[in-house]
């Protein structure tokens, strides 16, 4: 059986967990919902940044092909 992945937990992670649970009034379900919403938000942001990076890459590539970029 493979070894479970080990993650480097730090006291700041513990504190962040405690704070989030407290913000959700100790309700584990609300805490999980908050984490899921935050993750969805970050995934959307990442997707938008990737789209912008691809677009910028295309602009730079066209400029290089025309000889505009240094």
């Amino acid at each position: 059986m493979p070894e479970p992945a080990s993650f480097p937990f730090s006291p700041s992670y513990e504190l962040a967990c405690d704070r989030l649970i407290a913000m959700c009034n100790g309700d584990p379900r609300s805490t999980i919902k908050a984490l899921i919403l935050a993750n969805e938000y970050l995934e959307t942001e990442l997707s938008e940044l990737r789209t912008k990076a691809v677009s910028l890459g295309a602009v730079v590539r066209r400029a290089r092909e025309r000889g505009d970029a240094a």
Side-chain angles (χ1 to χ4, degrees):
M1 177 180 285
E3 285 284 320
S6 65
F7 298 99
F9 288 105
S10 71
S12 64
Y13 290 165
E14 294 297 323
L15 183 58
C17 288
D18 292 342
R19 286 181 177 169
L20 182 58
I21 293 168
M23 288 171 51
C24 294
N25 298 319
D27 181 10
R29 187 173 181 86
S30 293
T31 304
I32 292 169
K33 282 182 179 180
L35 291 169
I36 291 169
L37 288 172
N39 190 59
E40 287 178 355
Y41 172 79
L42 292 171
E43 286 179 357
T44 300
E45 288 287 306
L46 181 58
S47 178
E48 291 173 4
L49 288 170
R50 284 181 174 154
T51 299
K52 289 178 184 178
V54 168
S55 296
L56 180 59
V59 169
V60 169
R61 189 169 38 254
R62 280 187 295 233
R64 285 183 179 158
E65 289 170 357
R66 287 192 317 248
D68 295 345

